[in-house]
Amino acid sequence: MKIAFDQAEPLDSAVQDLVESLCFAEAHRDGSGLESADLCWSAIALLEPGPAELVIAMGRDLLVEFADASWGAAPDDEDLTDFRMELVNAIGGRYLAILSPDARIRLGMPTAGEGRIAAGSSVLQAARYDVDGELLLVVVRRTSEDRSSGDEHATEA
Amino acid sequence: MTNAESRRELSAVSPILVVDDSRLARMMVRRCLTAAGFDGDRIIEAGNGRAALDRMGREFFALVVVDLNMPVMDGESMLRRMRCTPALLDVPVIVISSTVNRERELALLAVGASCVLAKPVTAAALRRAIRSIEEKTG
């Protein structure tokens, strides 16, 4: 079964739904393309259907704003890492459920870090969302079978 | 007796176990449970399925709320182990996961989940799930 990882609508639906329900904010797609600045990212392998990888990235201000909204208290660095891994996990799961409502779906374990999101021919879509004037970047990349364990990520330190 | 009183009584008998590798996710479930009338002091947390099974081997829990995607031992493996263990066979288990679609929900119910909820969980959804379990178990 061919999965439409390059289509905007399923990704928009998953991102907007989770940003609203988990972070109490609204995300509007504001174009496409990667970002040269260093960002706080988290990534998760989309294993079934797949293989592919979902990466979300944002500046620290937006991350703190999101985490504060979810956490209800000033988050420390450990909380920020936990939060963005939980967010990519939730978006990834919703994205797969939308793409594949009747077949088995499975994610890898999330990872997180800081750095520039790498460009490359494997990028299927790089969606830029506006959240209260801040950038939320969401990238879907194709991965090979042997890279689908979730141990690797799609960023440059 | 109101549902809140019933849940307080259940909680007074045995604690509830919340299993998730994310501290944030555990905290959100804890908030939902306290909003549903459970005593926060009787909500116990574990970071993965193996730690949860160890804990369940030492004390009885009235309810287990578990995530699927965890390191060491995932939620589905933990659930399968519980359903093969006589002492844990009837303990209600609510699965909360980001990877929920129709296929996944049916598969989890087939291996013994009492209820399957999509993340992020809300207090209302958790309350409905607990009410449904209470009605089934009398």
Side-chain angles (χ1 to χ4, degrees):
Chain A
M1 181 172 57
K2 181 171 169 51
I3 298 298
F5 285 123
D6 56 346
Q7 289 185 4
E9 195 175 317
L11 185 64
D12 287 353
S13 180
V15 170
Q16 288 164 352
D17 189 13
L18 265 299
V19 167
E20 185 176 347
S21 58
L22 199 57
C23 312
F24 309 103
E26 290 188 3
H28 304 281
R29 193 184 271 244
D30 192 26
S32 59
L34 295 171
E35 175 70 20
S36 58
D38 284 353
L39 297 170
C40 300
W41 58 265
S42 54
I44 195 161
L46 311 177
L47 300 175
E48 291 183 59
E53 183 177 52
L54 181 78
V55 183
I56 65 171
M58 67 202 87
R60 190 178 175 87
D61 288 349
L62 182 60
L63 176 61
V64 170
E65 189 181 315
F66 275 176
D68 187 38
S70 279
W71 210 270
D76 60 24
D77 282 350
E78 188 181 340
D79 296 338
L80 292 176
T81 300
D82 189 5
F83 172 77
R84 61 190 192 266
M85 290 200 294
E86 192 62 19
L87 183 59
V88 78
N89 183 53
I91 292 174
R94 186 68 54 89
Y95 182 45
L96 288 186
I98 292 169
L99 286 172
S100 181
D102 295 309
R104 181 176 165 83
I105 56 178
R106 192 162 63 96
L107 295 171
M109 295 303 298
T111 55
E114 292 183 29
R116 188 172 71 86
I117 306 302
S121 60
S122 63
V123 173
L124 297 167
Q125 59 174 314
R128 300 173 70 95
Y129 297 90
D130 178 284
V131 183
D132 296 334
E134 301 277 347
L135 168 69
L136 170 63
L137 178 65
V138 182
V139 179
V140 182
R141 297 167 62 104
R142 181 185 300 110
T143 54
S144 61
E145 294 286 347
D146 60 357
R147 272 205 62 206
S148 60
S149 66
D151 293 337
E152 297 188 43
H153 57 77
T155 61
E156 293 173 350
Chain B
M1 181 186 290
T2 67
N3 284 329
E5 284 168 337
S6 156
R7 283 188 287 278
R8 276 196 290 272
E9 186 174 298
L10 178 69
S11 178
V13 174
S14 301
I16 293 167
L17 184 60
V18 177
V19 191
D20 198 309
D21 58 315
S22 163
R23 193 167 73 88
L24 170 63
R26 293 197 303 268
M27 187 203 65
M28 293 177 102
V29 171
R30 173 182 283 276
R31 276 187 194 163
C32 291
L33 285 169
T34 52
F38 287 99
D39 178 359
D41 291 340
R42 303 197 65 83
I43 298 171
I44 308 298
E45 300 181 9
N48 62 66
R50 186 171 303 283
L53 285 172
D54 288 346
R55 190 83 197 222
M56 283 185 268
R58 297 197 301 273
E59 62 185 302
F60 181 78
F61 290 91
L63 173 70
V64 177
V65 182
V66 64
D67 180 32
L68 277 187
N69 200 17
M70 294 183 290
V72 185
M73 180 185 282
D74 63 40
E76 185 173 345
S77 301
M78 187 203 84
L79 179 60
R80 287 177 185 277
R81 291 278 195 94
M82 286 180 70
R83 295 322 184 210
C84 294
T85 306
L88 304 177
L89 201 59
D90 296 324
V91 177
V93 176
I94 296 175
V95 174
I96 298 177
S97 176
S98 60
T99 51
V100 174
N101 64 1
R102 285 186 289 275
E103 189 275 343
R104 200 78 176 114
E105 181 177 6
L106 291 173
L108 289 163
L109 292 172
V111 296
S114 309
C115 185
V116 181
L117 300 176
K119 279 187 176 183
V121 71
T122 64
L126 200 51
R127 196 179 295 123
R128 280 194 299 273
I130 292 167
R131 192 172 298 145
S132 166
I133 291 167
E134 287 171 342
E135 284 169 3
K136 283 179 196 165
T137 57

